[in-house]
Amino acid sequence: MSESPESSGAIPPAPAGRDSIYDPLRRENLGRSVLWALVSTQAVPLGEIPDFRGSGIYAIYYTGDHELYQPISSSMFHIPIYVGKADPKGSRKGETVGHAWEGHKLRDRLRAHSRKIDKALDLELGHFHARFLPADDLFTPMAERLMISELRPVWNVVLEGFGVNRQGSGRESNQLRPKWHELHPGVEWADGMPGQPGGAAPLHAAVVAHLKLHSTPPASAEGGPGQPGITDPHPV
């Protein structure tokens, strides 16, 4: 039985056509350039977000000793626990959209996250850091999707609801408590909502199972400006 190129150590044949060249204007590469810029920034304590202007993208990392998140707890900041973006004013309501450099949407979003974590009974705000990048809102959705699809942050993929704000108007009594709040109680408005079926136990198990598979960066997430990545597979 003959060996495959991969098993024999041989270099696989280069792709043909469009995939044989690096195109910086392809959608995924535009998003990846924003991702690279984000991960090249210095992580700062989530509880010490400075004043700055603009909307953009961010990643939150865990560095503490919570047993559930030990597989991704690291001061190297390889695997985020959550990624998100803050859009310019008006972008969600079909109004005139503000410029990406106006306002404090990204700063305010991060500070709102810090307040929520600080209220959780089993989490310590000092165990979280964040990277953030004010950026053009045309490209941040691409970068956010790339990070979620490749790094599979557990609070995006398994424990939906971390980024949910209070609904108001009595709607909370008719909706189930978000999964993140079920596992991390302490936020008053969410604690008053009907609980998830089965409570926290199945969510705890789902997090454990997820992090067994997604606690190290995949090969597709490697690379950087001027380095090979998933969309630049055949450097010369």
Side-chain angles (χ1 to χ4, degrees), residues 89-182:
K89 182 179 179 180
S91 59
R92 293 181 179 272
K93 298 182 179 180
E95 302 172 353
T96 300
V97 179
H99 295 295
W101 58 84
E102 295 177 333
H104 300 88
K105 295 294 290 293
L106 183 53
R107 180 205 67 181
D108 293 347
R109 179 79 167 163
L110 286 164
R111 289 182 176 178
H113 287 329
S114 71
R115 291 191 295 270
K116 178 175 287 190
I117 289 174
D118 198 35
K119 291 180 180 179
L121 300 179
D122 62 338
L123 298 175
E124 295 288 340
L125 180 58
H127 293 165
F128 292 85
H129 284 66
R131 286 182 169 128
F132 53 90
L133 180 73
D136 193 306
D137 56 297
L138 179 63
F139 306 114
T140 51
M142 306 175 197
E144 182 189 39
R145 285 195 297 269
L146 274 172
M147 292 192 78
I148 293 174
S149 65
E150 294 183 357
L151 299 177
R152 312 300 289 166
V154 65
W155 285 1
N156 291 91
V157 178
V158 178
L159 293 184
E160 298 95 334
F162 173 65
V164 172
N165 297 316
R166 186 170 190 174
Q167 299 298 307
S169 303
R171 287 184 290 175
E172 292 162 5
S173 61
N174 299 319
Q175 298 178 354
L176 290 178
R177 183 180 302 130
K179 293 179 180 179
W180 186 90
H181 292 275
E182 185 72 45

Coordinates of all heavy atoms in Angstrom, one line a residue, residues 89-182:
K89 N -22.5 53.6 16.3 CA -23.9 54.1 16.6 C -24.7 54.0 15.4 O -24.4 54.5 14.3 CB -23.8 55.5 17.2 CG -25.2 56.0 17.6 CD -25.0 57.4 18.1 CE -26.4 58.0 18.5 NZ -26.3 59.4 19.1
G90 N -25.9 53.5 15.5 CA -26.9 53.4 14.4 C -26.9 52.2 13.5 O -27.8 52.0 12.8
S91 N -25.8 51.4 13.7 CA -25.7 50.3 12.7 C -26.7 49.2 12.9 O -27.0 48.4 12.0 CB -24.3 49.7 12.8 OG -24.0 49.2 14.2
R92 N -27.3 49.0 14.1 CA -28.2 48.0 14.4 C -29.7 48.4 14.2 O -30.6 47.6 14.2 CB -28.1 47.5 15.9 CG -26.8 46.8 16.1 CD -26.7 46.3 17.6 NE -25.4 45.6 17.9 CZ -25.2 44.4 17.7 NH1 -26.2 43.6 17.2 NH2 -24.1 43.8 17.9
K93 N -29.9 49.7 14.0 CA -31.3 50.2 13.8 C -31.6 50.7 12.5 O -32.7 51.3 12.3 CB -31.6 51.2 14.9 CG -31.4 50.7 16.3 CD -31.7 51.8 17.3 CE -31.6 51.3 18.8 NZ -31.9 52.4 19.8
G94 N -30.7 50.5 11.5 CA -31.0 51.1 10.2 C -30.9 52.6 10.1 O -31.4 53.2 9.1
E95 N -30.3 53.2 11.1 CA -30.2 54.6 11.1 C -28.9 55.0 10.4 O -28.2 54.2 9.9 CB -30.2 55.2 12.5 CG -31.4 54.8 13.3 CD -31.3 55.2 14.8 OE1 -30.1 55.6 15.2 OE2 -32.2 55.0 15.5
T96 N -28.6 56.3 10.3 CA -27.4 56.8 9.8 C -26.3 56.3 10.6 O -26.2 56.5 11.8 CB -27.3 58.3 9.7 OG1 -28.4 58.8 8.9 CG2 -26.0 58.8 9.1
V97 N -25.3 55.5 10.0 CA -24.3 54.9 10.8 C -23.2 55.8 11.1 O -22.7 56.5 10.2 CB -23.8 53.6 10.1 CG1 -22.7 52.9 10.9 CG2 -24.9 52.6 9.8
G98 N -22.7 55.9 12.3 CA -21.6 56.8 12.7 C -20.3 56.2 12.2 O -20.2 55.1 11.8
H99 N -19.3 57.0 12.3 CA -17.9 56.6 11.9 C -17.4 55.7 12.9 O -17.7 55.8 14.1 CB -17.0 57.8 11.7 CG -17.5 58.7 10.5 ND1 -17.4 58.2 9.2 CD2 -17.9 60.0 10.5 CE1 -17.9 59.2 8.4 NE2 -18.2 60.3 9.2
A100 N -16.5 54.8 12.5 CA -15.9 53.8 13.4 C -15.1 54.4 14.5 O -14.8 53.9 15.6 CB -15.1 52.8 12.7
W101 N -14.6 55.6 14.2 CA -13.7 56.3 15.2 C -14.4 57.2 16.2 O -13.9 57.8 17.1 CB -12.6 57.1 14.5 CG -13.2 58.2 13.6 CD1 -13.5 59.4 13.9 CD2 -13.4 58.0 12.2 NE1 -14.0 60.1 12.8 CE2 -13.9 59.3 11.7 CE3 -13.2 57.0 11.2 CZ2 -14.3 59.5 10.4 CZ3 -13.5 57.2 9.9 CH2 -14.1 58.5 9.5
E102 N -15.7 57.3 16.0 CA -16.5 58.2 16.9 C -17.1 57.4 18.1 O -17.3 56.2 18.0 CB -17.7 58.8 16.1 CG -17.3 59.7 14.9 CD -18.5 60.2 14.1 OE1 -19.5 59.5 14.1 OE2 -18.4 61.2 13.5
G103 N -17.3 58.2 19.1 CA -17.9 57.6 20.3 C -17.0 56.6 21.1 O -15.8 56.6 20.9
H104 N -17.6 55.9 22.0 CA -16.8 55.0 22.9 C -17.5 53.6 22.9 O -17.5 52.9 24.0 CB -16.8 55.6 24.3 CG -16.1 56.9 24.4 ND1 -16.8 58.1 24.2 CD2 -14.8 57.3 24.6 CE1 -16.0 59.1 24.3 NE2 -14.8 58.6 24.6
K105 N -18.0 53.1 21.8 CA -18.8 51.9 21.8 C -17.9 50.7 22.3 O -18.4 49.8 23.0 CB -19.4 51.6 20.4 CG -20.4 52.7 20.0 CD -21.7 52.6 20.9 CE -22.5 51.3 20.7 NZ -23.1 51.3 19.4
L106 N -16.7 50.6 21.8 CA -15.9 49.4 22.1 C -15.5 49.5 23.6 O -15.5 48.5 24.3 CB -14.7 49.4 21.2 CG -13.7 48.2 21.4 CD1 -14.4 46.9 21.3 CD2 -12.6 48.3 20.3
R107 N -15.1 50.7 24.1 CA -14.7 50.8 25.5 C -15.9 50.5 26.4 O -15.8 49.7 27.4 CB -14.3 52.3 25.7 CG -13.9 52.6 27.2 CD -14.0 54.0 27.5 NE -15.4 54.4 27.5 CZ -15.8 55.7 27.8 NH1 -15.0 56.6 28.0 NH2 -17.1 56.0 27.8
D108 N -17.1 51.0 26.0 CA -18.3 50.8 26.9 C -18.7 49.3 26.9 O -19.1 48.8 27.9 CB -19.4 51.6 26.4 CG -19.2 53.1 26.6 OD1 -18.2 53.5 27.3 OD2 -19.9 53.9 26.0
R109 N -18.5 48.6 25.7 CA -18.8 47.2 25.7 C -18.0 46.4 26.6 O -18.4 45.5 27.3 CB -18.7 46.7 24.2 CG -19.0 45.3 24.0 CD -20.4 45.0 23.9 NE -20.7 43.7 23.4 CZ -21.9 43.1 23.5 NH1 -22.9 43.7 24.1 NH2 -22.1 41.9 23.0
L110 N -16.7 46.7 26.6 CA -15.7 46.0 27.4 C -16.0 46.2 28.9 O -15.9 45.3 29.7 CB -14.3 46.3 27.1 CG -13.8 45.7 25.7 CD1 -12.5 46.4 25.3 CD2 -13.5 44.2 25.9
R111 N -16.3 47.5 29.2 CA -16.6 47.8 30.6 C -17.9 47.2 31.1 O -18.0 46.8 32.3 CB -16.6 49.3 30.8 CG -15.2 50.0 30.7 CD -15.3 51.5 30.9 NE -13.9 52.0 30.8 CZ -13.6 53.3 30.9 NH1 -14.6 54.2 31.1 NH2 -12.4 53.8 30.9
A112 N -18.9 47.0 30.2 CA -20.1 46.3 30.6 C -19.8 44.9 30.9 O -20.4 44.3 31.8 CB -21.1 46.5 29.4
H113 N -18.9 44.2 30.1 CA -18.5 42.9 30.3 C -17.8 42.7 31.7 O -18.1 41.8 32.4 CB -17.6 42.4 29.2 CG -18.3 42.1 27.9 ND1 -19.6 41.7 27.8 CD2 -17.8 42.2 26.6 CE1 -19.9 41.5 26.5 NE2 -18.8 41.8 25.8
S114 N -17.0 43.7 32.0 CA -16.3 43.6 33.3 C -17.2 43.7 34.4 O -17.1 43.0 35.5 CB -15.2 44.7 33.3 OG -15.8 46.0 33.5
R115 N -18.3 44.5 34.3 CA -19.2 44.7 35.4 C -20.0 43.4 35.6 O -20.3 42.9 36.7 CB -20.2 45.8 35.1 CG -19.5 47.2 35.3 CD -20.6 48.3 35.3 NE -21.3 48.4 34.0 CZ -20.9 49.2 33.0 NH1 -19.8 49.8 33.0 NH2 -21.6 49.2 31.9
K116 N -20.4 42.7 34.5 CA -21.1 41.5 34.6 C -20.3 40.4 35.2 O -20.8 39.7 36.1 CB -21.6 41.0 33.2 CG -22.3 39.7 33.1 CD -22.9 39.4 31.8 CE -24.0 40.2 31.4 NZ -24.7 39.8 30.1
I117 N -19.0 40.2 34.8 CA -18.2 39.2 35.4 C -18.0 39.5 36.9 O -17.9 38.6 37.7 CB -16.8 39.2 34.7 CG1 -17.0 38.6 33.3 CG2 -15.8 38.4 35.4 CD1 -15.8 38.6 32.4
D118 N -17.8 40.8 37.2 CA -17.6 41.1 38.6 C -18.8 40.7 39.5 O -18.6 40.5 40.7 CB -17.4 42.7 38.7 CG -16.7 43.1 40.0 OD1 -15.9 42.3 40.5 OD2 -17.0 44.2 40.5
K119 N -20.0 40.7 38.9 CA -21.2 40.3 39.7 C -21.3 38.8 39.8 O -22.0 38.3 40.7 CB -22.4 40.8 39.0 CG -22.6 42.4 39.1 CD -23.8 42.8 38.4 CE -24.0 44.4 38.5 NZ -25.2 44.9 37.8
A120 N -20.7 38.0 38.9 CA -20.8 36.6 39.0 C -20.2 36.0 40.3 O -19.1 36.4 40.7 CB -20.1 35.9 37.8
L121 N -20.9 35.1 40.9 CA -20.5 34.6 42.2 C -19.3 33.8 42.2 O -18.6 33.7 43.2 CB -21.7 33.9 42.9 CG -23.0 34.6 43.1 CD1 -24.1 33.7 43.7 CD2 -22.8 35.9 44.0
D122 N -19.0 33.1 41.1 CA -17.9 32.2 41.1 C -16.8 32.6 40.1 O -15.9 31.8 39.8 CB -18.4 30.8 40.6 CG -19.0 30.8 39.2 OD1 -19.4 31.9 38.8 OD2 -19.1 29.7 38.6
L123 N -16.8 33.9 39.7 CA -15.7 34.4 38.9 C -15.0 35.6 39.5 O -15.7 36.3 40.3 CB -16.3 34.8 37.5 CG -16.9 33.7 36.6 CD1 -17.5 34.3 35.4 CD2 -15.9 32.6 36.3
E124 N -13.7 35.8 39.2 CA -13.0 36.9 39.7 C -12.6 37.8 38.5 O -11.9 37.3 37.6 CB -11.7 36.4 40.4 CG -12.0 35.6 41.7 CD -12.5 36.5 42.8 OE1 -12.3 37.7 42.8 OE2 -13.1 35.9 43.8
L125 N -13.0 39.0 38.6 CA -12.7 40.0 37.5 C -11.2 40.0 37.2 O -10.7 40.2 36.1 CB -13.2 41.3 37.8 CG -13.0 42.4 36.7 CD1 -13.6 42.0 35.4 CD2 -13.6 43.8 37.2
G126 N -10.4 39.9 38.3 CA -8.9 40.0 38.1 C -8.3 38.8 37.3 O -7.1 38.9 37.0
H127 N -9.1 37.8 37.0 CA -8.6 36.7 36.3 C -8.9 36.8 34.8 O -8.8 35.8 34.0 CB -9.3 35.4 36.8 CG -8.9 35.0 38.2 ND1 -9.6 34.1 38.9 CD2 -7.8 35.5 38.9 CE1 -8.9 34.0 40.1 NE2 -7.9 34.8 40.1
F128 N -9.3 38.0 34.3 CA -9.7 38.2 32.9 C -8.8 39.3 32.3 O -8.6 40.3 33.0 CB -11.1 38.5 32.8 CG -12.0 37.3 33.1 CD1 -12.4 37.1 34.4 CD2 -12.5 36.5 32.1 CE1 -13.2 36.0 34.7 CE2 -13.3 35.4 32.4 CZ -13.7 35.1 33.7
H129 N -8.4 39.1 31.1 CA -7.7 40.1 30.3 C -8.4 40.3 29.0 O -9.2 39.4 28.6 CB -6.2 39.7 30.1 CG -5.4 39.9 31.3 ND1 -5.5 39.2 32.4 CD2 -4.3 40.8 31.5 CE1 -4.6 39.6 33.3 NE2 -3.9 40.5 32.8
A130 N -8.1 41.4 28.3 CA -8.8 41.6 27.0 C -7.8 42.3 26.0 O -6.9 43.0 26.4 CB -10.0 42.6 27.2
R131 N -7.9 41.9 24.8 CA -7.3 42.6 23.7 C -8.4 43.3 22.9 O -9.5 42.8 22.8 CB -6.6 41.6 22.7 CG -5.3 41.0 23.3 CD -4.7 40.2 22.2 NE -3.3 39.8 22.5 CZ -2.8 38.5 22.5 NH1 -3.7 37.5 22.3 NH2 -1.6 38.3 22.8
F132 N -8.1 44.5 22.4 CA -9.2 45.2 21.7 C -8.5 46.0 20.6 O -7.4 46.4 20.7 CB -10.0 46.1 22.6 CG -9.2 47.0 23.5 CD1 -8.9 48.3 23.0 CD2 -8.8 46.6 24.7 CE1 -8.1 49.2 23.8 CE2 -8.0 47.5 25.5 CZ -7.7 48.8 25.1
L133 N -9.3 46.2 19.5 CA -8.8 46.9 18.4 C -9.9 47.8 17.7 O -10.8 47.2 17.1 CB -8.3 45.9 17.3 CG -7.7 46.5 16.0 CD1 -6.4 47.1 16.3 CD2 -7.6 45.4 15.0
P134 N -9.9 49.1 17.9 CA -10.8 50.0 17.1 C -10.5 49.8 15.6 O -9.3 49.8 15.2 CB -10.4 51.4 17.6 CG -9.7 51.2 18.9 CD -9.0 49.9 18.8
A135 N -11.5 49.5 14.9 CA -11.3 49.1 13.5 C -12.5 49.4 12.7 O -13.6 49.6 13.2 CB -11.0 47.6 13.4
D136 N -12.3 49.5 11.4 CA -13.4 49.8 10.4 C -14.5 48.7 10.5 O -14.2 47.5 10.5 CB -12.9 49.9 9.0 CG -13.9 50.4 8.0 OD1 -15.0 49.9 7.9 OD2 -13.5 51.4 7.3
D137 N -15.7 49.1 10.7 CA -16.8 48.1 10.9 C -17.1 47.3 9.6 O -17.9 46.3 9.7 CB -18.1 48.8 11.3 CG -18.5 49.9 10.4 OD1 -17.8 50.9 10.2 OD2 -19.6 49.8 9.8
L138 N -16.5 47.6 8.5 CA -16.7 46.8 7.3 C -16.0 45.5 7.5 O -16.4 44.4 6.9 CB -16.1 47.5 6.1 CG -16.2 46.8 4.7 CD1 -17.7 46.5 4.4 CD2 -15.5 47.6 3.6
F139 N -14.9 45.4 8.2 CA -14.1 44.2 8.3 C -14.2 43.5 9.6 O -13.8 42.3 9.7 CB -12.6 44.6 8.1 CG -12.4 45.4 6.8 CD1 -12.0 46.7 6.8 CD2 -12.6 44.8 5.6 CE1 -11.8 47.4 5.6 CE2 -12.5 45.5 4.4 CZ -12.0 46.8 4.4
T140 N -14.6 44.1 10.7 CA -14.7 43.5 12.0 C -15.6 42.2 12.0 O -15.3 41.3 12.7 CB -15.1 44.4 13.1 OG1 -16.3 45.1 12.7 CG2 -14.0 45.4 13.4
P141 N -16.7 42.2 11.3 CA -17.6 41.0 11.3 C -16.8 39.8 10.8 O -17.0 38.7 11.3 CB -18.8 41.3 10.5 CG -18.9 42.8 10.5 CD -17.5 43.3 10.6
M142 N -16.0 40.0 9.7 CA -15.2 38.9 9.2 C -14.2 38.4 10.2 O -14.1 37.2 10.3 CB -14.5 39.4 7.9 CG -15.3 40.0 6.9 SD -14.3 40.7 5.5 CE -15.4 41.8 4.7
A143 N -13.5 39.3 10.9 CA -12.5 38.8 11.9 C -13.2 38.1 13.0 O -12.7 37.1 13.5 CB -11.8 40.0 12.4
E144 N -14.4 38.6 13.5 CA -15.1 38.0 14.5 C -15.5 36.5 14.1 O -15.3 35.6 14.9 CB -16.3 38.8 14.9 CG -17.1 38.2 16.1 CD -18.5 38.9 16.3 OE1 -19.1 39.2 15.3 OE2 -18.9 39.0 17.4
R145 N -16.0 36.4 12.9 CA -16.4 35.1 12.5 C -15.2 34.1 12.4 O -15.4 32.9 12.7 CB -17.1 35.2 11.1 CG -18.5 35.7 11.2 CD -19.3 35.5 9.9 NE -18.7 36.1 8.8 CZ -19.0 37.3 8.3 NH1 -19.9 38.0 9.0 NH2 -18.4 37.9 7.3
L146 N -14.1 34.6 11.9 CA -12.9 33.8 11.8 C -12.5 33.3 13.2 O -12.2 32.1 13.4 CB -11.8 34.6 11.2 CG -11.7 34.6 9.7 CD1 -10.6 35.6 9.2 CD2 -11.3 33.2 9.1
M147 N -12.5 34.2 14.2 CA -12.0 33.8 15.5 C -13.0 32.8 16.1 O -12.5 31.8 16.8 CB -11.9 35.0 16.4 CG -10.8 35.9 16.0 SD -10.5 37.2 17.3 CE -9.5 36.3 18.5
I148 N -14.3 32.9 15.9 CA -15.2 32.0 16.5 C -15.1 30.6 15.8 O -15.2 29.6 16.4 CB -16.7 32.6 16.4 CG1 -16.8 33.8 17.3 CG2 -17.7 31.5 16.7 CD1 -18.1 34.5 17.2
S149 N -15.0 30.7 14.4 CA -15.0 29.4 13.7 C -13.7 28.6 13.9 O -13.7 27.4 13.9 CB -15.2 29.7 12.2 OG -14.1 30.4 11.7
E150 N -12.6 29.3 14.1 CA -11.3 28.6 14.3 C -10.9 28.3 15.7 O -10.4 27.3 16.0 CB -10.2 29.4 13.6 CG -10.3 29.6 12.1 CD -9.2 30.3 11.5 OE1 -8.3 30.8 12.2 OE2 -9.2 30.4 10.2
L151 N -11.2 29.3 16.6 CA -10.8 29.1 18.0 C -11.9 28.6 18.9 O -11.6 28.1 20.0 CB -10.2 30.4 18.6 CG -9.0 31.0 17.8 CD1 -8.6 32.4 18.4 CD2 -7.9 30.0 17.9
R152 N -13.1 28.7 18.5 CA -14.3 28.1 19.2 C -14.3 28.6 20.7 O -14.3 27.8 21.6 CB -14.2 26.6 19.2 CG -14.0 26.0 17.8 CD -15.1 26.4 16.8 NE -16.4 25.7 17.1 CZ -17.5 26.1 16.6 NH1 -17.6 27.1 15.7 NH2 -18.6 25.4 16.9
P153 N -14.4 29.9 20.9 CA -14.4 30.4 22.3 C -15.6 29.8 23.0 O -16.8 29.9 22.5 CB -14.5 31.9 22.1 CG -14.0 32.2 20.7 CD -14.4 31.0 19.9
V154 N -15.4 29.3 24.2 CA -16.5 28.5 24.9 C -17.7 29.4 25.2 O -18.8 28.9 25.2 CB -15.9 27.8 26.1 CG1 -15.4 28.8 27.2 CG2 -16.9 26.8 26.7
W155 N -17.5 30.7 25.5 CA -18.6 31.5 25.9 C -19.4 32.0 24.6 O -20.5 32.5 24.7 CB -18.2 32.7 26.7 CG -17.9 32.4 28.1 CD1 -17.9 31.1 28.7 CD2 -17.4 33.3 29.1 NE1 -17.5 31.2 30.0 CE2 -17.2 32.5 30.3 CE3 -17.2 34.7 29.2 CZ2 -16.8 33.1 31.5 CZ3 -16.8 35.2 30.4 CH2 -16.6 34.5 31.5
N156 N -18.8 31.8 23.4 CA -19.5 32.0 22.2 C -20.3 30.8 21.7 O -21.4 30.9 21.2 CB -18.6 32.5 21.1 CG -18.0 33.8 21.3 OD1 -16.9 33.9 21.9 ND2 -18.6 34.9 20.8
V157 N -19.6 29.6 21.9 CA -20.1 28.4 21.2 C -21.0 27.6 22.1 O -22.0 27.0 21.7 CB -18.9 27.6 20.7 CG1 -19.4 26.3 20.1 CG2 -18.1 28.4 19.7
V158 N -20.7 27.5 23.4 CA -21.4 26.6 24.4 C -22.3 27.4 25.3 O -23.5 27.1 25.5 CB -20.4 25.7 25.2 CG1 -21.2 24.9 26.2 CG2 -19.5 24.9 24.2
L159 N -21.7 28.4 25.9 CA -22.5 29.2 26.9 C -23.0 30.5 26.3 O -22.6 31.6 26.7 CB -21.6 29.5 28.1 CG -21.2 28.3 29.0 CD1 -20.5 28.7 30.2 CD2 -22.5 27.4 29.4
E160 N -23.9 30.4 25.4 CA -24.5 31.6 24.8 C -25.2 32.5 25.9 O -25.7 32.0 26.9 CB -25.5 31.3 23.7 CG -25.0 30.5 22.6 CD -25.2 29.0 22.7 OE1 -25.3 28.5 23.9 OE2 -25.3 28.3 21.7
G161 N -25.1 33.8 25.7 CA -25.8 34.7 26.6 C -24.9 35.6 27.4 O -25.4 36.5 28.0
F162 N -23.5 35.4 27.3 CA -22.7 36.3 28.0 C -22.8 37.8 27.5 O -22.8 38.7 28.3 CB -21.2 35.9 27.9 CG -20.2 36.9 28.5 CD1 -20.2 37.1 29.8 CD2 -19.3 37.6 27.6 CE1 -19.3 38.1 30.4 CE2 -18.4 38.5 28.2 CZ -18.4 38.7 29.5
G163 N -23.0 37.9 26.2 CA -23.1 39.3 25.7 C -24.5 39.8 25.7 O -24.8 40.9 25.2
V164 N -25.5 39.1 26.2 CA -26.9 39.5 26.3 C -27.1 40.6 27.3 O -26.6 40.5 28.5 CB -27.8 38.3 26.5 CG1 -29.3 38.8 26.7 CG2 -27.8 37.3 25.4
N165 N -27.8 41.6 27.0 CA -28.2 42.7 27.9 C -29.6 42.5 28.4 O -30.4 41.7 27.9 CB -28.0 44.1 27.3 CG -26.6 44.4 26.8 OD1 -25.7 44.1 27.6 ND2 -26.5 44.9 25.6
R166 N -29.9 43.2 29.5 CA -31.2 43.1 30.1 C -32.3 43.5 29.0 O -32.1 44.5 28.4 CB -31.3 43.9 31.3 CG -32.7 43.8 32.0 CD -32.7 44.5 33.4 NE -33.8 44.1 34.1 CZ -34.1 44.4 35.4 NH1 -33.2 45.2 36.0 NH2 -35.2 44.1 36.0
Q167 N -33.3 42.7 28.9 CA -34.3 42.9 27.9 C -35.3 44.0 28.2 O -35.7 44.8 27.4 CB -35.1 41.6 27.5 CG -34.2 40.5 27.0 CD -33.5 40.8 25.7 OE1 -34.2 41.2 24.8 NE2 -32.2 40.7 25.7
G168 N -35.8 44.0 29.5 CA -36.8 45.0 29.9 C -38.2 44.7 29.4 O -38.4 43.7 28.7
S169 N -39.1 45.5 29.7 CA -40.5 45.4 29.3 C -41.2 44.1 29.7 O -42.1 43.7 29.0 CB -40.6 45.6 27.8 OG -40.0 46.9 27.4
G170 N -40.7 43.5 30.7 CA -41.3 42.3 31.2 C -41.0 41.0 30.4 O -41.6 40.0 30.7
R171 N -40.2 41.1 29.4 CA -39.9 40.0 28.5 C -39.1 38.9 29.2 O -39.1 37.7 28.8 CB -39.2 40.4 27.3 CG -40.1 41.2 26.3 CD -39.4 41.5 25.0 NE -38.4 42.5 25.2 CZ -37.5 42.9 24.3 NH1 -37.5 42.3 23.1 NH2 -36.6 43.9 24.5
E172 N -38.4 39.3 30.3 CA -37.5 38.3 30.9 C -38.3 37.2 31.6 O -37.8 36.0 31.6 CB -36.6 39.0 32.0 CG -35.6 39.9 31.4 CD -35.1 41.0 32.3 OE1 -35.4 40.9 33.5 OE2 -34.3 41.9 31.9
S173 N -39.5 37.5 32.1 CA -40.3 36.4 32.7 C -40.8 35.4 31.7 O -41.2 34.3 32.2 CB -41.5 37.1 33.5 OG -42.3 37.7 32.5
N174 N -40.7 35.7 30.4 CA -41.2 34.8 29.4 C -40.1 34.0 28.7 O -40.4 33.3 27.8 CB -42.1 35.5 28.4 CG -43.3 36.1 29.0 OD1 -44.0 35.6 29.9 ND2 -43.6 37.4 28.6
Q175 N -38.9 34.3 29.1 CA -37.7 33.7 28.4 C -36.9 32.9 29.4 O -36.8 33.2 30.6 CB -36.9 34.8 27.8 CG -37.6 35.5 26.7 CD -36.7 36.6 26.1 OE1 -35.6 36.9 26.6 NE2 -37.3 37.3 25.1
L176 N -36.2 31.9 28.9 CA -35.3 31.1 29.8 C -34.1 31.9 30.1 O -33.6 32.7 29.3 CB -34.9 29.8 29.1 CG -36.0 28.7 28.9 CD1 -35.4 27.5 28.2 CD2 -36.6 28.3 30.3
R177 N -33.5 31.7 31.2 CA -32.3 32.3 31.6 C -31.2 31.9 30.6 O -31.0 30.8 30.3 CB -31.9 31.8 33.0 CG -30.6 32.4 33.6 CD -30.3 31.9 35.0 NE -31.5 32.1 35.9 CZ -32.0 31.1 36.6 NH1 -31.6 29.9 36.6 NH2 -33.1 31.4 37.4
P178 N -30.4 32.9 30.2 CA -29.3 32.5 29.2 C -28.3 31.5 29.9 O -28.1 31.5 31.1 CB -28.6 33.9 29.0 CG -29.7 34.9 29.2 CD -30.5 34.3 30.4
K179 N -27.8 30.7 29.0 CA -26.9 29.6 29.5 C -25.8 30.1 30.3 O -25.4 29.5 31.3 CB -26.4 28.8 28.3 CG -27.5 28.0 27.6 CD -27.0 27.2 26.4 CE -28.1 26.5 25.7 NZ -27.5 25.7 24.5
W180 N -25.1 31.2 29.9 CA -24.0 31.7 30.7 C -24.4 32.1 32.1 O -23.7 31.8 33.1 CB -23.4 33.0 30.0 CG -22.2 33.5 30.7 CD1 -20.9 33.1 30.4 CD2 -22.1 34.4 31.7 NE1 -20.0 33.7 31.2 CE2 -20.7 34.5 32.0 CE3 -23.0 35.1 32.5 CZ2 -20.2 35.4 33.1 CZ3 -22.5 36.0 33.5 CH2 -21.2 36.1 33.8
H181 N -25.6 32.7 32.2 CA -26.1 33.1 33.5 C -26.5 31.9 34.4 O -26.5 32.0 35.6 CB -27.2 34.1 33.4 CG -26.8 35.4 32.8 ND1 -26.3 36.4 33.6 CD2 -26.8 35.9 31.5 CE1 -26.0 37.5 32.8 NE2 -26.3 37.1 31.6
E182 N -27.0 30.8 33.7 CA -27.3 29.6 34.4 C -26.1 29.0 35.1 O -26.2 28.6 36.3 CB -27.9 28.6 33.5 CG -28.5 27.3 34.2 CD -29.8 27.6 34.9 OE1 -30.7 28.3 34.4 OE2 -29.9 27.1 36.1

